Amino acid sequence: QEKLVESGGGLVQPGGSLRLSCAASGRIFSPYTMGWYRQAPGKQRELVATITAGGSTDYIDSVRGRFTISRDNAKDTVDLQMNNLEPADTAVYYCNARNSYYTPPHDFWGQGTQVTVSS
């Protein structure tokens, strides 16, 4: 029920690219705002990018112009295309779904996928 599963992480060299995918199941996907978060060892989890049900996107400054978030509501998937990767992007990346019907909103989380940027 209401699961998010990430995939696509791995090891890449600086300047390389990865595409992360998140698949949702057990719920209606399209009304949710989707997000990608990341967490490096010893650091707090931080929001990287969001996309609303209507397709509006937002990014933190450090990834704007390099990362692109997208969604396919018919397939219940959300992707994060990451280009020009930097060592500072190294983290576990988590998919998030936010149900704004509730106040405060209710969040669903995936298990995470490791992204390592190193030469």
Side-chain angles (χ1 to χ4, degrees), residues 29-35 49-58 69-73 78 98 100:
F29 180 84
S30 57
Y32 289 68
T33 293
M34 304 297 297
T50 60
I51 183 166
T52 68
S56 297
T57 60
D58 198 15
I69 188 171
S70 61
R71 68 190 295 163
D72 187 333
N73 292 336
V78 59
R98 174 160 290 187
S100 295

Side-chain angles (χ1 to χ4, degrees), residues 18-61:
L18 283 174
R19 188 175 184 90
L20 307 183
S21 295
C22 173
S25 63
R27 61 172 177 84
I28 298 174
F29 180 84
S30 57
Y32 289 68
T33 293
M34 304 297 297
W36 284 97
Y37 289 70
R38 66 186 182 187
Q39 186 170 24
K43 296 183 178 180
Q44 296 293 111
R45 189 175 298 188
E46 67 173 348
L47 180 64
V48 177
T50 60
I51 183 166
T52 68
S56 297
T57 60
D58 198 15
Y59 304 88
I60 57 171
D61 289 342

Side-chain angles (χ1 to χ4, degrees), residues 80-94:
L80 185 68
Q81 178 66 46
M82 305 185 295
N83 298 326
N84 303 122
L85 283 162
E86 305 168 354
D89 297 318
T90 296
V92 177
Y93 283 71
Y94 297 91

